[in-house]
């Protein structure tokens, strides 16, 4: 998802009243449907979707969707029924099992759960084919992408312009699925039928189009899509495209579906994507979906990292740093969200934090260290630390909680945690560790890459193995506790005494750099305490002069509270 820049923060209501609703008067979401990653229990925990064939017919005038899904379901354990998540505002009007129509009393769709009885049961390891037909008016997004749903918009000349953005709420906003980050689909066929003159840009590879007279059907095929990454992006699109020769020897199609009259901006951004691919592949590993495409579609909302077809709504703005921040952010999500997938929303910082950190990292690559430092300082002012970044087991975070602001911290505190890790373990550990975290191998190659689910503890284990350090103290203080470490300094004559204070029971042993005159010294903080001889009682010093450590800052807190620091 997109980070909240100053403009986006205003739109989301963090720094100002909430923006006008995209769907004024829309009925509220069912409580269950409104939240992804509810605990996996019962059949939802024992089902694996080997294949989904999804067909959607969109009626922009009525804001209506007719859907049909064919699923090959494999049982991980013996099953007496199947369960899918689905917004109860939809009417389910037909279900077939192995081609046979089920009677109405063999299934039910209530309270956000579609339950299908299996007359003969399904043994562990076996598969069955189920077909579901549904229709209705899907939930309309209130403030996409942060409060998601479907967007029924229009271009300046009045043509339909449609998009979905459902990360926080989940795939069940418009199709039956298992709405949990740990669940995916091995293979997807996606058919989108739209009024003639419109184009449906989709996940994966375009297999073909069919002229139906008044409508056109677009058939897409994708491997291993994430649930929330399955998307509908429709408009009177034109296509800008080119090919990219990867350092790994494969050729990657680059495609940008843009509105008429935007070809110049789209082609400029395709040029930027070439530089971003080169950078990301050099730092982390091969583009994960090179066998399909790098895809972008212009959308009426700001953006979203839909797998191989990222939403872009930044208006082709020219920026002083020389590249489009939104394009870069969403593209980096192909590595960190679509390839490396958080196991649940509780580990969402892995996707958003690492992705946000790639933005200053890319600026350092293209413009120099000064730009990296400036971007990190800007990010620091958006770290709130009011709640743990990784919520306790059994608790689900609220992305849009304006008090807790966890939805900000997963971006900006997450990026600063990676920045601080970099100073602790060094580039020689951090970059290979991120590669292993992302691909589950130290030497990823095109053709053998498949998405992987990861947890915060997976990252810690990899870092500990590769660095030889015990990092429990670091992860406990930064990820599982809300408040930031405080560095307390006391001067006794020429002696500078330093102490870390955290709410963790473990000593926080982060070394501290101290600048004394022209010299920078490193103070070992064994047990959370350290001492440095300054040489004289009146000698000036500066703590952490390169701003490498995420820590409590009274000036930042005062600014966040709208006051000046004392």
């Amino acid at each position: 998802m997109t980070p909240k820049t100053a403009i986006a923060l205003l739109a989301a209501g963090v720094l100002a009243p909430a923006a006008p609703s995209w769907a004024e008067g829309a009925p509220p979401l069912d409580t269950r449907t409104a939240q992804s990653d509810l605990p996996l229990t019962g059949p939802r925990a024992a089902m694996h979707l080997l294949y989904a064939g999804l067909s959607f017919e969109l009626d922009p005038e009525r804001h209506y969707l007719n859907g049909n899904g064919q699923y090959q379901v494999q049982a991980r354990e013996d099953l007496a029924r199947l369960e899918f998540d689905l917004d109860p505002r939809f009417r389910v009007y037909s279900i077939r099992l192995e081609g046979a129509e089920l009677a109405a009393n063999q299934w039910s769709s209530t309270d956000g759960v579609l339950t299908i009885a299996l007359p003969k049961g399904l043994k562990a390891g076996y598969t069955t084919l189920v077909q579901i037909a549904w229709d209705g008016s899907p939930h309309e997004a209130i403030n996409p992408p942060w409060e998601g749903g479907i967007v029924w918009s229009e271009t300046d000349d009045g043509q339909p312009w449609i998009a979905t953005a459902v990360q926080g709420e989940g795939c069940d906003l418009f199709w039956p699925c298992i709405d949990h980050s740990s669940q995916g689909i091995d293979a997807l066929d996606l058919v989108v039928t739209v009024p003639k003159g419109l184009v449906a840009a989709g996940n994966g590879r375009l297999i073909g189009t069919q002229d139906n007279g008044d409508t056109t059907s677009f058939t897409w095929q994708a491997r291993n899509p994430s649930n929330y990454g399955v998307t509908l992006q429709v408009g009177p699109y034109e296509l800008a495209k080119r090919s990219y020769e990867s350092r790994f020897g494969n050729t990657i199609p680059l495609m940008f579906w843009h509105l008429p009259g935007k070809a110049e901006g789209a082609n400029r951004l395709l040029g930027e994507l070439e530089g971003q691919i080169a950078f990301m592949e050099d730092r982390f590993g091969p583009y994960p979906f090179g066998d399909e495409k790098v895809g972008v579609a212009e959308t009426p909302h700001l953006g979203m990292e839909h797998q191989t077809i990222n939403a872009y709504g930044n208006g082709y703005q020219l920026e002083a740093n020389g590249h489009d921040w939104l394009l870069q952010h969403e593209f980096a999500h192909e590595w960190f969200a679509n390839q490396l997938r958080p196991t649940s929303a509780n580990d969402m910082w892995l996707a958003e934090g690492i992705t946000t950190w790639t933005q200053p990292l890319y600026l350092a690559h293209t413009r120099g260290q000064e730009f990296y430092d400036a971007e990190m300082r800007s990010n620091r002012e958006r770290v709130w630390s009011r709640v743990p970044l990784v919520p306790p087991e059994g608790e689900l975070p609220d992305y849009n909680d304006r008090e807790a602001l966890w939805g900000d911290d997963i971006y900006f505190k997450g990026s600063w945690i990676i920045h601080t890790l970099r100073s602790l373990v060094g580039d020689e550990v951090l970059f290979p560790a991120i590669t292993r975290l992302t691909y589950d191998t130290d030497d990823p190659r095109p053709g053998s890459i498949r998405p992987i689910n990861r947890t915060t503890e997976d990252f810690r284990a990899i870092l500990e193995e590769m660095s030889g350090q015990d990092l429990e103290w670091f992860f406990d203080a930064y990820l599982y506790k809300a408040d930031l470490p405080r560095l307390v300094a006391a001067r006794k004559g020429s002696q500078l005494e330093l102490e870390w204070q955290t709410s963790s029971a473990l000593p926080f042993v982060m070394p501290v750099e101290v600048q004394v005159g022209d010299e920078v010294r490193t103070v070992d903080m064994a047990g959370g305490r350290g001492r440095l001889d300054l040489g004289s009682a009146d000698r000036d010093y500066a703590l952490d002069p390169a701003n490498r450590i995420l820590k409590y800052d009274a000036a930042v807190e005062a600014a966040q509270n709208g006051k000046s620091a004392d």
Side-chain angles (χ1 to χ4, degrees):
M1 193 181 288
T2 50
K4 297 185 179 77
T5 61
I7 294 174
L9 278 164
L10 287 169
V14 175
L15 300 181
S21 170
W22 284 68
E24 298 289 354
L29 279 174
D30 175 82
T31 301
R32 178 186 176 89
T33 306
Q35 177 67 63
S36 282
D37 287 346
L38 292 172
L40 278 175
T41 58
R44 293 169 64 251
M47 293 166 52
H48 174 57
L49 301 185
L50 296 173
Y51 168 80
L54 301 177
S55 296
F56 298 97
E57 185 170 1
L58 301 180
D59 185 340
E61 288 190 9
R62 297 169 57 210
H63 290 192
Y64 203 79
L65 176 154
N66 196 314
N68 191 293
Q70 297 188 54
Y71 302 85
Q72 186 180 15
V73 182
Q74 183 179 53
R76 292 192 171 107
E77 58 186 59
D78 292 354
L79 289 172
R81 66 186 189 277
L82 305 178
E83 286 185 355
F84 293 86
D85 298 297
L86 182 65
D87 190 339
R89 75 187 60 220
F90 288 112
R91 173 184 70 117
V92 177
Y93 61 87
S94 174
I95 294 181
R96 291 177 175 271
L97 190 66
E98 296 292 344
E101 183 84 24
L102 294 185
N105 64 0
Q106 292 179 285
W107 52 271
S108 64
S109 183
T110 57
D111 300 324
V113 181
L114 171 60
T115 302
I116 304 169
L118 296 172
K120 298 180 181 179
L122 188 65
K123 294 291 186 181
Y126 285 79
T127 66
T128 191
L129 187 67
V130 59
Q131 183 175 343
I132 304 168
W134 71 100
D135 63 1
S137 296
H139 173 72
E140 297 189 34
I142 295 172
N143 186 26
W146 304 289
E147 294 178 85
I150 192 167
V151 178
W152 303 98
S153 186
E154 291 184 347
T155 61
D156 290 342
D157 61 354
Q159 297 189 72
W161 193 14
I162 305 163
T164 55
V166 299
Q167 182 174 15
E169 298 80 9
C171 46
D172 53 340
L173 285 193
F174 68 107
W175 59 281
C177 63
I178 304 173
D179 183 20
H180 197 280
S181 296
S182 66
Q183 302 297 303
I185 309 166
D186 290 1
L188 170 72
D189 285 333
L190 178 66
V191 181
V192 185
T193 300
V194 295
K196 197 173 186 66
L198 300 181
V199 174
N203 306 94
R205 297 180 297 116
L206 181 63
I207 302 303
T209 62
Q210 179 175 315
D211 186 342
N212 309 312
D214 292 338
T215 64
T216 308
S217 297
F218 295 81
T219 300
W220 294 89
Q221 194 170 78
R223 63 167 178 82
N224 306 114
S226 66
N227 286 331
Y228 80 89
V230 176
T231 183
L232 306 176
Q233 298 187 139
V234 175
Y237 289 134
E238 297 174 356
L239 177 62
K241 62 181 179 179
R242 63 183 68 179
S243 295
Y244 177 78
E245 301 298 327
S246 167
R247 69 179 60 231
F248 290 94
N250 56 318
T251 301
I252 306 172
L254 276 58
M255 300 181 177
F256 200 123
W257 282 265
H258 61 87
L259 295 184
K262 302 296 181 65
E264 181 179 354
N267 277 293
R268 173 173 57 82
L269 294 187
L270 284 179
E272 289 189 20
L273 276 172
E274 290 184 323
Q276 292 167 15
I277 296 173
F279 168 77
M280 293 293 290
E281 289 196 328
D282 176 66
R283 295 298 191 277
F284 304 108
Y287 174 65
F289 309 102
D291 55 326
E292 296 182 339
K293 69 178 183 302
V294 171
V296 182
E298 188 174 357
T299 53
H301 66 86
L302 186 59
M304 176 63 72
E305 65 274 12
H306 301 127
Q307 189 169 311
T308 72
I309 187 64
N310 289 330
Y312 172 83
N314 203 32
Y316 307 95
Q317 301 177 55
L318 295 173
E319 300 186 34
N321 63 24
H323 77 284
D324 191 298
W325 72 268
L326 179 75
L327 185 80
Q328 193 273 328
H329 179 90
E330 304 302 359
F331 182 57
H333 269 313
E334 296 282 24
W335 280 262
F336 313 116
N338 297 334
Q339 169 61 29
L340 160 61
R341 298 175 180 175
T343 298
S344 76
N346 292 40
D347 297 299
M348 195 171 166
W349 81 274
L350 287 172
E352 298 296 355
I354 299 176
T355 292
T356 301
W357 178 67
T358 68
Q359 296 182 261
L361 194 68
Y362 184 62
L363 285 172
H365 170 71
T366 58
R367 302 299 300 272
Q369 185 65 31
E370 178 184 355
F371 281 76
Y372 177 95
D373 294 338
E375 186 75 2
M376 288 306 304
R377 189 60 197 172
S378 176
N379 287 355
R380 176 61 185 88
E381 294 169 12
R382 302 174 200 173
V383 176
W384 304 93
S385 282
R386 296 175 179 175
V387 295
L389 201 59
V390 178
E393 188 72 26
E395 292 186 17
L396 284 174
D398 183 351
Y399 184 93
N400 292 301
D401 187 328
R402 302 294 189 247
E403 294 298 321
L405 290 172
W406 176 88
D408 276 11
D409 277 346
I410 57 175
Y411 299 96
F412 305 116
K413 184 176 181 180
S415 73
W416 259 87
I417 288 172
I418 301 298
H419 172 71
T420 302
L421 266 173
R422 187 183 192 186
S423 71
L424 178 65
V425 302
D427 285 5
E428 66 279 7
V429 169
L430 180 61
F431 283 96
I434 293 176
T435 295
R436 186 184 296 180
L437 181 75
T438 303
Y439 301 96
D440 200 28
T441 178
D442 297 333
D443 186 28
R445 295 289 167 179
S448 61
I449 299 169
R450 292 294 181 271
I452 183 171
N453 286 100
R454 291 295 204 182
T455 67
T456 299
E457 286 303 301
D458 290 335
F459 192 26
R460 176 187 156 199
I462 290 169
L463 283 164
E464 288 185 337
E465 179 181 347
M466 298 184 79
S467 69
Q469 300 183 42
D470 180 351
L471 297 174
E472 183 180 5
W473 60 273
F474 183 98
F475 277 70
D476 191 54
Y478 279 128
L479 279 307
Y480 301 111
K481 300 294 185 290
D483 53 314
L484 293 175
R486 293 177 181 244
L487 182 58
V488 179
R491 190 167 189 161
K492 296 182 179 179
S494 65
Q495 299 297 308
L496 178 66
E497 296 184 353
L498 302 176
E499 179 184 3
W500 283 114
Q501 296 179 353
T502 77
S503 56
S504 172
L506 301 171
F508 191 76
V509 295
M510 187 77 191
V512 178
E513 291 184 339
V514 181
Q515 183 164 346
V516 183
D518 295 331
E519 182 183 3
V520 176
R521 307 178 193 174
T522 300
V523 179
D524 180 64
M525 298 293 287
R529 300 172 184 267
R531 175 178 292 186
L532 178 66
D533 188 347
L534 299 173
S536 68
D538 57 357
R539 196 166 190 188
D540 290 335
Y541 66 89
L543 300 175
D544 187 25
N547 291 298
R548 302 183 193 277
I549 305 173
L550 177 59
K551 56 188 178 297
Y552 173 78
D553 188 322
V556 170
E557 182 179 64
Q560 290 174 334
N561 292 333
K563 300 180 297 185
S564 298
D566 293 335

